[in-house]
Amino acid sequence: MVSAIVGVQGLKATYEAVKAGKEIGLANKECLVAAGELITAEARRQGKPLLPIDSEHNAVHQCMRGGRMSEVERVWLTASGGPFLNKPKIRVRKHHGGAGLNHPTWKMGRRITIDSATLMNKGFEVIEACRLFNLPAEQGKVIGASAVHHSLHGLNSTTVASWRSSRSLICGCQSCMH
């Protein structure tokens, strides 16, 4: 099953599917932000993975297929900075919603573009990563970049990064589902 209903509207259906023992391809970060501990605990109890579809989390998942999370010191999620990068706080406050829709790197829907511009989306993604990968909050970090989707910094000082397209990441998630 793929959980892709926007916002917390997808929470009940996602949780019920996890309780029913379904494998979940998760494209809804709000479920994990709002009830991640409940959903991940039930998935562990059922012995079923939550397979992330969101590009950064899927890339982390794919990089970790050959290792263990206990070997990871930090998970770095990238943030392009959006249209307000390097703008003073006062100047940003003067802008109305239209300025936030001019993302310099990505073409996305209106809501996700505004969430990206304000970094609200990145905050949600850090919470999602910590819950998906059972990490303490201090291991989820954000770095200003859009050249890669993420990087993992290992306890042995190695770094693994991914710059694949979102399409290949989604196909990788689907290939893990039975």
Side-chain angles (χ1 to χ4, degrees):
M1 181 189 124
V2 173
S3 172
I5 300 171
V6 176
V8 294
Q9 292 83 355
L11 179 56
K12 183 176 181 184
T14 301
Y15 182 64
E16 291 299 323
V18 171
K19 279 185 15 181
K22 304 286 184 196
E23 288 183 342
I24 307 296
L26 192 61
N28 173 324
K29 70 180 67 58
E30 292 86 358
C31 286
L32 290 184
V33 170
E37 292 172 6
L38 180 71
I39 291 170
T40 56
E42 184 62 25
R44 282 191 298 275
R45 192 178 80 69
Q46 294 286 341
K48 298 292 182 178
L50 293 171
L51 301 168
I53 293 177
D54 187 31
S55 58
E56 289 93 342
H57 302 87
N58 184 283
V60 171
H61 168 76
Q62 289 195 33
C63 284
M64 288 309 303
R65 290 175 75 185
R68 296 181 306 274
M69 284 309 294
S70 61
E71 298 171 323
V72 175
E73 181 180 349
R74 292 212 184 345
V75 172
W76 292 95
L77 301 179
T78 59
S80 65
F84 300 135
L85 182 64
N86 300 322
K87 302 279 193 256
K89 290 179 186 178
I90 288 175
R91 187 166 174 201
V92 170
R93 282 190 211 128
K94 291 180 182 179
H95 287 289
H96 56 82
L101 293 171
N102 297 320
H103 198 285
T105 308
W106 311 113
K107 298 294 179 216
M108 306 175 286
R110 293 175 62 86
R111 187 188 133 227
I112 192 68
T113 302
I114 292 296
D115 284 354
S116 176
T118 61
L119 294 179
M120 180 62 82
N121 186 57
K122 205 48 61 180
F124 288 160
E125 287 180 353
V126 170
I127 294 168
E128 179 185 15
C130 290
R131 291 188 171 158
L132 263 176
F133 303 114
N134 200 26
L135 296 170
E138 60 272 7
Q139 282 184 267
K141 301 291 183 184
V142 175
I143 186 169
S146 61
V148 298
H149 278 104
H150 81 290
S151 68
L152 302 175
H153 184 74
L155 294 173
N156 63 357
S157 297
T158 59
T159 299
V160 178
S162 174
W163 54 86
R164 295 181 246 178
S165 76
S166 294
R167 286 186 186 129
S168 69
L169 297 170
I170 292 167
C171 289
C173 178
Q174 290 173 328
S175 72
C176 291
M177 298 177 88
H178 296 96

